[in-house]
Amino acid sequence: MKKVVTIQDISCFGKCSLTVALPVISAMGIETAIIPTAVLSTHTVFSRFTFKDLSDQIEPISEHWKEEGLAFNALYTGYLGSFEQIDLMKAFFEDFGKNTLKFVDPAMGDNGKLYPAFDEAFAKHMATLCAKADIIDPNLTEACFMLGTEYKEDGEYDEAYIKDILIKLTDLGAKTAILTGVSFESDKLGAMGYDSEKKEFFSYFNQKIPAKYHGTGDVFSSTLVGALVNGKDLKKAIEIAADYTRESILLTEADPEKPWYGVNFEQAIPYLLKKLGK
Ligand code: PXL
């Protein structure tokens, strides 16, 4: 059985990070190990969330795993809470990253703003972890903060702006960069990527739903990792991830209670497995 390890916080309520990655990757038929970096009562967009840092557990867990000789088909990092955790991830990549997909989702912000816990210096430090990855998938906000580039809203940018950002992202050191939440036409949304080894751009767009929900980046990244580990090529994996994320948003919009804090990825799992050919 293929094995992924994902390293991010556990927000006990709110549907993001590990409470998305664990069920989604498991549903895709992959054993999913985790290292929780922190425990929060909710994600940080709720007010008054509790926060217990678990950074001091990362090294002992990884030391134990080294003694056990564990190995993974992919290492996937998401939301990280401190400079120290970013450095711990670099060490983890050194220890477990040989001949293994190293995937970094530099989850730090959206809609032109960083999440409450972060500032520009943190984004610059996250860029140093992106440098060690095979694939990174920031949204435009995260990319702009990491690069110190001007952020533009949908409708204000063109393909040349996105391509320039993609090249600069791979110049940080990652082989492939994928920008999520890209929209060149008002009714289309998707992702554009750049493979710096093949010097090739690629993209996938689907019908845009005019709604913003929390945790969609985590649904997208988890699905992308799951699809890649299932042997899909990058373009197909992006299509699966984008369509599953869209389906999760559609189901959320159809829910009379319409939670604002996360998407209905759970009831879209049959759709995901069909797309995956399972
Ligand atoms: O969805 C990204 C995410 C993950 N973890 C925590 C968050 C967020 C976004 O706000 O607050 C704790």
Side-chain angles (χ1 to χ4, degrees):
M1 200 170 178
K2 297 275 175 62
K3 289 187 192 65
V4 167
V5 56
T6 179
I7 307 172
Q8 36 190 325
D9 69 278
I10 184 150
S11 291
C12 299
F13 186 86
K15 300 209 271 190
C16 68
S17 41
L18 282 186
T19 62
V20 168
L22 189 50
V24 169
I25 300 171
S26 298
M28 296 172 89
I30 296 161
E31 181 174 339
T32 311
I34 60 167
I35 301 184
T37 53
V39 185
L40 294 85
S41 52
T42 63
H43 62 56
T44 61
V45 186
F46 284 82
S47 50
R48 303 195 312 278
F49 57 88
T50 69
F51 180 88
K52 170 74 178 166
D53 187 87
L54 297 176
S55 299
D56 67 354
Q57 294 302 300
I58 296 172
E59 265 179 329
I61 291 171
S62 105
E63 282 308 312
H64 180 202
W65 286 2
K66 272 195 271 179
E67 285 163 23
E68 297 287 343
L70 302 189
F72 301 95
N73 301 95
L75 318 180
Y76 158 32
T77 69
Y79 184 104
L80 299 171
S82 64
F83 282 62
E84 183 196 1
Q85 285 184 358
I86 291 172
D87 293 334
L88 286 165
M89 290 307 99
K90 289 185 207 162
F92 191 83
F93 280 7
E94 285 287 316
D95 288 339
F96 290 90
K98 312 239 158 43
N99 306 317
T100 285
L101 173 67
K102 292 175 286 298
F103 186 103
V104 172
D105 175 356
M108 290 181 293
D110 209 356
N111 306 313
K113 290 200 191 83
L114 292 173
Y115 296 137
F118 303 130
D119 60 15
E120 279 173 39
F122 185 84
K124 287 270 155 55
H125 203 60
M126 184 64 92
T128 66
L129 176 62
C130 287
K132 311 277 181 201
D134 299 304
I135 302 178
I136 60 174
D137 74 337
N139 59 33
L140 195 50
T141 302
E142 292 152 352
C144 287
F145 275 103
M146 287 198 291
L147 296 171
T149 302
E150 184 200 358
Y151 172 80
K152 294 188 182 176
E153 300 281 345
D154 292 355
E156 289 176 358
Y157 55 78
D158 57 10
E159 205 173 278
Y161 169 80
I162 297 295
K163 283 185 168 173
D164 182 55
I165 287 179
L166 282 168
I167 290 171
K168 286 181 176 145
L169 284 171
T170 55
D171 284 347
L172 291 174
K175 276 187 224 122
T176 298
I178 298 160
L179 258 184
T180 59
V182 174
S183 181
F184 295 124
E185 296 168 69
S186 59
D187 61 341
K188 296 269 191 312
L189 182 70
M192 187 162 186
Y194 179 60
D195 180 330
S196 66
E197 281 178 352
K198 294 187 190 150
K199 303 219 177 313
E200 193 179 275
F201 289 97
F202 46 89
S203 58
Y204 178 75
F205 298 95
N206 59 23
Q207 206 66 25
K208 185 177 190 168
I209 304 165
K212 296 246 180 206
Y213 283 102
H214 223 74
T216 49
D218 301 332
V219 173
F220 182 89
S221 293
S222 302
T223 314
L224 190 52
V225 170
L228 290 169
V229 172
N230 264 300
K232 304 294 178 195
D233 67 30
L234 193 53
K235 287 176 207 166
K236 187 70 190 170
I238 290 173
E239 178 194 320
I240 293 169
D243 285 352
Y244 173 55
T245 306
R246 181 179 183 277
E247 183 70 12
S248 302
I249 297 170
L250 264 184
L251 291 183
T252 314
E253 286 281 283
D255 181 342
E257 285 178 34
K258 239 204 232 189
W260 61 269
Y261 51 81
V263 287
N264 185 350
F265 68 88
E266 299 93 333
Q267 289 171 337
I269 283 175
Y271 172 94
L272 169 62
L273 298 189
K274 213 162 145 196
K275 280 223 70 128
L276 198 62
K278 292 253 177 200

